[in-house]
Amino acid sequence: MDTREILTRFKGGTLRREHAVALLAGTSPAVAPPVVALPVTALPVAADREPLPVPGPGPGPVPGDGAGAGGGVPCAVVGIQGRFPQAGDLEAFWRNGLQGRIAEAALPGGRRSACAGWRGHFLDGVEEFDPDLFGFGAREAAGLDLQERLLAQSAWQTLESAGYAGARLERLTAPDGTARSVGVYAALGPAGGALPPAGHRHTAPPASRPGPAARLSRLLDLRGPSLSVDSGDSSFLTALHLALGALRAGECAAALVGAVELRLHPACQRPGAGEGVAAVLLKPLAAARADGDRVHAVIRSSAVGHPGRAAPGLQHGRLVGRALAAAGLRPPGTGPQSPDAGPQGPDAGGQSEVPDAGLEAVGVGLEESSRTVAALVGDAGAVTGAAALVRAVGQLSHAVLLAGPDRPAPAAWEPVRRDDGTVLPRRALVSVPGPAAPADPAGPPDAADTVDAVGPADAVDAADTADGAEDTAVPDGADGGEGVDGGEGADGGEGVGAVLVVEEAPAVPRAPARTGPPPGTRPAELVLLSAATPAHLAATAGRLAARLSDGGGRDGGPAAPDLAAVAHELRLGRAVLRCRLAVTVRTVAELADALAGFAAHPGPGPGPAGVRTADLRSAAGPPLIEGLEETRAYVAALWQGGRLEQLTRLWLAGADVCAVLPAHPGPAAVELPATVLRPRPPEPGPGTDGAPQ
């Protein structure tokens, strides 16, 4: 064993100091560390994909690793929402990525600052909240933590966009039959980062409180596991890793994973600091496809770990290897090696890295990390991993590779074709803290070069010093200027790392062309919509009309959405609230016109194009017939008989006429825009206590 290899093993943590000194002095025989190989676990794959070949039997699993820890059942992202600096929604976030925009700005007005003139990546209007959406009074809303308010709104929009804010949510059941079985996993920045601005009314919390995830579970009435996570920059990916484990263990039918980071406290404000909020809804892929959910992407596997006392820079390759193995993907050249091949332990340095060519061979053409999202969100703490996942899902959905540190401009993402012509699905790695930036050519000299000039122990000290300098290096900033802080941002929170293997959504078979009567002569559809207040109802109707008018979305969907699918999605995917609308139409164009007319001229009674509304906020309660089995049977018979007028009257009188409908009418649900939020500073005033406006 030569000097360079001894020092490399010492820096990698596989040789103790006394052993390295003894080997350098020639007083101890070299004993190679044991070989540790990663297991390969086969995963079920979608029917429209050809499974990858799995090597023959290999070594047994390493305790604490393998499919049980981060793989085994692929999970689908069925809902995703977010808000980032200079991007109020995901469409704006995608446009910023396409344009290579650096979302850096001065501190918003009204914020307290530790120093004047510094710039970062900030959200606007973070003190505003929509209390009416959740039925909060003014005092209750003012007492909520600002980060939790943002997360609650993002979580609500995620459930709505996925179609799980209404009757479908009730049908997400645990193995014991518990309804609304959705786990909540929340990643929030430190409490010191969420202090409100000067002058903001904020009630003192009680001495002992449940965590943010538990409070979100109660707010949304979700009855699965509930866990708050704080592992620094990797908090969101760590929370998602735990959520995947709960789904695979059958602890919940779906999992809501959210993250938020604000930099309101002066101690958290530094050049390059960032903010954001995002949430995703996950389900096992098989269940999502059976239920007709829209799948944005598939998470094949995950890996989370801490390097202990070893060099943090070495753990990234180890986690990538674990995640790929858990996904059943083994790049060429990464299988078991002979004992003579050198160190292969969990901290063996370069031997655990997967070469780029090996990643491409299994369809991995992208890695998103804190480094690639720096221009868009800066050093965003707990929400860093969420921004990286959102960016990866966007590229998988559009088959476009965005510009980044290693790519000067966006480019088409061509899939990998095997020699037999099989096309592999596009795959991406999402990691925090991610791969290190390219090494500085003028960095510290190799400690091996100093052995001849100094003694063995001094050489080990030199290696330790050089290694420490590498570990505390500040990553590159968003625009090649200011970097992120070396404590919290540089190593992901005391070295906690996380890696996901994310895959493009499986292809959905095209629905057969309709051969029925022309659109104008088809049966009428009853479209139902509800919201918290009349203002919410009008704004949401206007947003829906705009989406239907522009062809049903900008994500490559059909030019004209199916009216029956739209009506069904609104009836089952949305919560039943107190301000209601009903309209009977025969075409999507007719629906868009009716909703646009109502949005322009809202009001009680018959509206434009037959729109009828009701404001039930002042009603004593639901009708006496609500909740009875006889009522359910009666409503089901009305739907079966097409009695739309009677159903309309029941709906406007306060009855829930949607709970008896089947969950999904076709192969895939239609994604519709979420309810329009009407945030405002949560100060006491008319309307905040539920009184009619």
Side-chain angles (χ1 to χ4, degrees):
M1 186 184 302
D2 60 20
T3 299
R4 186 176 299 274
E5 184 177 354
I6 294 171
L7 291 174
T8 297
R9 293 195 183 192
F10 167 71
K11 291 173 66 178
T14 59
L15 279 179
R16 298 179 61 180
R17 176 185 173 87
E18 58 268 25
H19 294 161
V21 172
L23 288 171
L24 289 172
T27 59
S28 174
V31 179
V35 175
V36 180
L38 294 171
V40 174
T41 304
L43 282 174
V45 297
D48 55 346
R49 301 285 187 193
E50 182 174 344
L52 289 171
V54 178
V62 179
D65 196 4
V73 176
C75 291
V77 178
V78 298
I80 181 168
Q81 291 289 320
R83 179 181 165 199
F84 298 100
Q86 300 183 37
D89 55 32
L90 297 191
E91 290 184 4
F93 187 71
W94 174 251
R95 288 195 301 270
N96 287 349
L98 278 176
Q99 298 166 2
R101 184 176 185 180
I102 298 174
E104 189 179 57
L107 191 70
R111 297 246 202 137
R112 288 182 291 172
S113 175
C115 56
W118 69 282
R119 297 172 65 83
H121 301 71
F122 309 108
L123 297 179
D124 294 323
V126 297
E127 74 284 355
E128 297 182 343
F129 181 59
D130 189 345
D132 298 314
L133 181 65
F134 301 100
F136 284 165
R139 191 176 303 276
E140 185 179 11
L144 287 177
D145 180 271
L146 297 185
Q147 293 190 130
E148 293 182 34
R149 294 209 302 248
L150 289 179
L151 184 58
Q153 292 177 148
S154 185
W156 177 268
Q157 291 185 312
T158 300
L159 291 174
E160 280 200 330
S161 66
Y164 282 97
R168 287 199 197 100
L169 179 58
E170 299 291 338
R171 299 169 189 177
L172 289 176
T173 57
D176 63 356
T178 300
R180 305 173 74 95
S181 175
V182 179
V184 175
Y185 296 80
L188 275 73
L195 292 181
H200 182 78
R201 299 180 59 184
H202 200 80
T203 58
S208 178
R209 307 176 69 194
R215 293 194 290 275
L216 186 57
S217 293
R218 184 178 186 277
L219 176 63
L220 300 177
D221 192 16
L222 304 178
R223 303 166 190 172
S226 193
L227 186 65
S228 301
V229 177
D230 182 4
S231 61
D233 289 4
S234 63
S235 294
F236 174 80
L237 297 187
T238 301
L240 195 146
H241 173 79
L242 297 173
L244 294 174
L247 288 171
R248 290 162 178 154
E251 296 174 3
C252 51
L256 182 65
V257 185
V260 62
E261 183 81 39
L262 293 180
R263 305 289 189 174
L264 301 181
H265 195 289
C268 299
Q269 297 173 355
R270 55 183 179 271
E275 301 177 336
V277 59
V280 298
L281 184 66
L282 309 174
K283 288 179 63 178
L285 178 60
R289 299 191 70 180
D291 292 340
D293 297 326
R294 183 175 188 269
V295 177
H296 297 269
V298 177
I299 299 178
R300 293 287 301 270
S301 63
S302 60
V304 173
H306 193 286
R309 294 185 178 181
L314 301 178
Q315 76 164 337
H316 178 71
R318 173 179 54 123
L319 293 178
V320 169
R322 286 174 55 188
L324 291 173
L329 307 174
R330 176 168 287 170
T334 60
Q337 303 178 27
S338 67
D340 298 332
Q344 302 177 50
D347 302 307
Q351 292 287 340
S352 63
E353 296 286 348
V354 180
D356 291 342
L359 292 174
E360 293 175 359
V362 293
V364 177
L366 171 72
E367 180 160 7
E368 287 293 327
S369 68
S370 49
R371 192 163 161 252
T372 62
V373 300
L376 296 172
V377 298
D379 172 20
V383 83
T384 300
L389 177 61
V390 168
R391 188 172 142 107
V393 170
Q395 293 172 89
L396 289 166
S397 300
H398 292 86
V400 171
L401 293 168
L402 295 177
D406 304 317
R407 188 179 303 105
W413 188 349
E414 299 297 336
V416 173
R417 294 181 179 272
R418 296 195 301 198
D419 293 339
D420 60 2
T422 303
V423 178
L424 298 181
R426 297 173 182 85
R427 297 186 175 107
L429 298 179
V430 176
S431 60
V432 171
D440 184 357
D446 194 329
D449 298 334
T450 68
V451 175
D452 294 335
V454 297
D458 295 328
V460 172
D461 289 337
D464 204 5
T465 301
D467 184 53
E470 293 171 0
D471 293 344
T472 57
V474 178
D476 293 339
D479 55 358
E482 298 286 352
V484 297
D485 181 83
E488 180 184 331
D491 61 4
E494 295 297 330
V496 179
V499 174
L500 302 181
V501 177
V502 187
E503 184 175 285
E504 66 179 323
V508 176
R510 291 185 178 274
R514 298 185 68 134
T515 58
T521 60
R522 290 174 184 165
E525 287 286 346
L526 175 59
V527 178
L528 305 176
L529 193 64
S530 70
T533 69
H536 285 84
L537 187 62
T540 301
R543 174 183 285 182
L544 180 57
R547 178 60 61 91
L548 296 175
S549 298
D550 70 11
R554 305 176 181 86
D555 55 2
D562 181 70
L563 175 62
V566 170
H568 199 87
E569 185 64 27
L570 289 173
R571 294 193 293 251
L572 288 185
R574 304 300 173 94
V576 176
L577 302 177
R578 304 296 287 167
C579 296
R580 302 186 179 185
L581 175 152
V583 61
T584 301
V585 294
R586 294 182 182 275
T587 67
V588 169
E590 188 179 343
L591 174 60
D593 290 342
L595 294 177
F598 169 74
H601 303 285
V611 174
R612 296 155 68 179
T613 62
D615 185 351
L616 304 173
R617 291 177 297 165
S618 59
L624 294 177
I625 62 172
E626 184 75 6
L628 300 176
E629 286 300 323
E630 293 83 355
T631 301
R632 291 177 59 88
Y634 174 59
V635 171
L638 292 178
W639 280 111
Q640 185 68 26
R643 306 295 185 180
L644 303 187
E645 174 60 27
Q646 288 76 11
L647 289 166
T648 297
R649 292 182 181 181
L650 286 172
W651 169 254
L652 297 178
D656 181 1
V657 300
C658 303
V660 299
L661 295 172
H664 291 278
V670 176
E671 184 176 18
L672 299 174
T675 297
V676 175
L677 299 178
R678 296 179 56 83
R680 61 181 184 275
E683 299 295 335
T688 55
D689 290 307
Q693 297 185 41

